[in-house]
Amino acid sequence: MIYEKEERKPQLWLCGGHFINDIYTGILNPIMPFIAEKVAISMTFATFILSCSHIFASIFQPFFGYFADKMRKRALIFWGLIFTAVFLSFAPTSTCPYVMILFIILGSLGSSLYHPQALGLVPKFSTSNVAKNMGIFIATGTLGFSLGPLVSAAIAQYLGLEKMPGMCFLGVFWALMMFKMVPKFSTEQVIKTESFDFGKAFSDILKNRKLDILIIISILKSLMQTSCSMLLPFLWQRMHYSKIEIGVAMFCFLFAGGIASFLSPKVEKKIGTKNVFYISMILPLPIVGMFAMTYKTIPLLSFALVALTGFVVMFAVPVMMSMAQKILPQYKSIIGGFINGFSWGVVAIIITMVSHIADTNNCIVPVILIISTIPAICSFMVKKLFTEQNT
């Protein structure tokens, strides 16, 4: 009991930092159509800007995690949250697209700095139940990310985009408080890592057929989620929905995905891992098909279908991560970087081309529908996933 009380303080501040950090990472998608309109840029270029955010917030995490494991200081969580809060809050007010890109890159790098060290500090300061504390940490980030669109849409709707920089004060305040409240750790508490060969680790991972399949599935699921979260706000803006309505829709989409992440491990025990994968890969197609038939005539139903899409797409993510890390447990952090980082980075590069096609031909919904068919077609890999050996 004493240990549990001692660990509550750092866990509270780390989880709070995760919640606040991920609010900032979720603010751009719902208001980007209105930012694009203000600075007179195309949907393709606006999506490219969002892609920069995803690339720099995800693809470098395995490398920052490597350095975080070797550090004897807590610097990354402080500077990471400060960069995220300041630069992502000021980005929507920029009248120059290139300055906006710079701010988004710096803010996204802040998020990329915060996550790996915070993830490493959660078990470091856990003396009782590591799994429980890690679950709470991930849950707070999911909640923050889903609230981001709602917060930014509300500010943009009722106060105006020019008031967005005011958001930065919460993140800066929390970072300064973490500096005081998160304990320093001694040299003995630092994990002494053996000499580590990145080349060998990447080779071992990419040569493993089972991991290759999981990475491909992760990329397909990331593509599905990203195409919805980036393209649908432009569709709704063209249909003259308000900023707050778009923000609420994005909140429901992301929050439903968070609920799915909580439920999937429990459901897996009842229906089996294979069926969790099948549900997550096949069901988006008919749901998006129903959305395509209702978004013009029955908007409330179509919004509910968007939320259901978010739920189904994210349903297999925890199960997929757990399976991947069990294959090569010596590379847990890097495998996590591949599933959650590399996959998003690849999709961020692809999505600019996808948005250009959707923008040029004014076919956002057909493009999303086509994208939803890809995981369904590739669901045959699930069977192969459970017949492949680990090497």
Side-chain angles (χ1 to χ4, degrees):
M1 183 66 69
I2 295 176
Y3 289 127
E4 289 183 5
K5 290 181 179 179
E6 290 177 351
E7 73 185 39
R8 283 176 187 168
K9 183 173 74 171
Q11 300 296 346
L12 169 66
W13 290 100
L14 289 170
C15 290
H18 194 201
F19 171 77
I20 293 168
N21 181 88
D22 284 17
I23 286 177
Y24 292 110
T25 60
I27 65 175
L28 291 176
N29 283 356
I31 60 174
M32 184 54 77
F34 304 96
I35 296 173
E37 187 177 50
K38 182 186 74 171
V39 297
I41 58 176
S42 67
M43 187 180 86
T44 301
F45 192 58
T47 308
F48 168 74
I49 294 174
L50 291 175
S51 298
C52 290
S53 173
H54 283 274
I55 290 170
F56 285 92
S58 59
I59 209 163
F60 294 108
Q61 282 195 33
F63 301 98
F64 289 143
Y66 172 71
F67 291 113
D69 281 341
K70 290 182 172 293
M71 291 181 67
R72 292 179 171 87
K73 297 182 179 180
R74 309 155 297 160
L76 298 188
I77 58 172
F78 309 132
W79 287 111
L81 183 53
I82 288 172
F83 267 55
T84 303
V86 172
F87 288 108
L88 290 184
S89 295
F90 276 83
T93 64
S94 176
T95 56
C96 174
Y98 301 102
V99 173
M100 188 189 305
I101 291 174
L102 176 62
F103 280 11
I104 288 174
I105 287 174
L106 291 173
S108 300
L109 281 174
S111 181
S112 196
L113 283 171
Y114 181 84
H115 279 93
Q117 186 168 61
L119 281 164
L121 291 178
V122 169
K124 189 184 297 295
F125 293 125
S126 295
T127 55
S128 56
N129 193 330
V130 177
K132 177 183 176 182
N133 287 332
M134 185 62 74
I136 295 172
F137 179 83
I138 293 172
T140 54
T142 301
L143 179 59
F145 188 63
S146 64
L147 281 175
L150 197 58
V151 172
S152 63
I155 293 174
Q157 176 78 37
Y158 300 114
L159 300 177
L161 288 171
E162 65 277 4
K163 302 296 184 182
M164 292 292 294
M167 286 186 64
C168 75
F169 292 108
L170 177 60
V172 173
F173 168 77
W174 200 270
L176 295 175
M177 289 301 295
M178 282 197 301
F179 184 78
K180 179 177 177 61
M181 304 302 289
V182 175
K184 296 180 180 179
F185 43 91
S186 64
T187 302
E188 289 74 19
Q189 286 178 292
V190 179
I191 298 173
K192 296 181 179 179
T193 55
E194 299 176 358
S195 57
F196 196 81
D197 186 344
F198 264 113
K200 182 179 185 303
F202 276 51
S203 177
D204 289 346
I205 291 170
L206 295 176
K207 287 181 179 179
N208 188 290
R209 294 179 182 176
K210 203 167 185 178
L211 279 174
D212 288 342
I213 294 172
L214 287 170
I215 291 170
I216 292 171
I217 292 175
S218 178
I219 290 172
L220 294 176
K221 294 176 70 58
S222 299
L223 178 61
M224 185 68 214
Q225 185 183 33
T226 304
S227 62
C228 288
S229 62
M230 285 191 183
L231 299 183
L232 286 178
F234 284 93
L235 172 71
W236 290 324
Q237 188 246 3
R238 292 173 183 179
M239 295 176 68
H240 307 294
Y241 285 104
S242 68
K243 299 179 185 71
I244 194 65
E245 288 171 327
I246 296 173
V248 169
M250 282 292 96
F251 165 76
C252 294
F253 175 75
L254 296 169
F255 188 70
I259 294 174
S261 297
F262 287 122
L263 294 179
S264 64
K266 297 179 181 179
V267 177
E268 179 198 13
K269 294 179 181 179
K270 296 183 178 181
I271 67 174
T273 307
K274 186 184 297 185
N275 289 325
V276 170
F277 275 95
Y278 280 131
I279 289 171
S280 194
M281 296 184 73
I282 296 173
L283 282 188
L285 176 57
I287 296 171
V288 173
M290 287 188 284
F291 170 81
M293 293 186 289
T294 59
Y295 77 97
K296 290 182 179 179
T297 55
I298 317 176
L300 285 178
L301 176 59
S302 70
F303 276 29
L305 290 169
V306 169
L308 184 58
T309 302
F311 182 94
V312 173
V313 169
M314 292 294 291
F315 189 54
V317 170
V319 176
M320 180 168 56
M321 178 66 75
S322 177
M323 177 182 288
Q325 290 183 329
K326 287 177 182 177
I327 295 171
L328 293 175
Q330 68 271 33
Y331 300 133
K332 282 185 178 180
S333 295
I334 298 181
I335 288 172
F338 267 99
I339 300 296
N340 277 344
F342 176 78
S343 299
W344 286 98
V346 170
V347 169
I349 296 169
I350 296 171
I351 198 66
T352 302
M353 179 181 64
V354 171
S355 69
H356 177 69
I357 295 171
D359 191 21
T360 303
N361 299 285
N362 195 25
C363 57
I364 292 175
V365 175
V367 164
I368 295 176
L369 185 59
I370 291 171
I371 289 173
S372 69
T373 65
I374 301 174
I377 293 172
C378 294
S379 62
F380 74 90
M381 290 192 296
V382 173
K383 183 176 181 180
K384 192 174 182 63
L385 180 64
F386 286 86
T387 57
E388 283 286 351
Q389 298 299 316
N390 285 352
T391 57

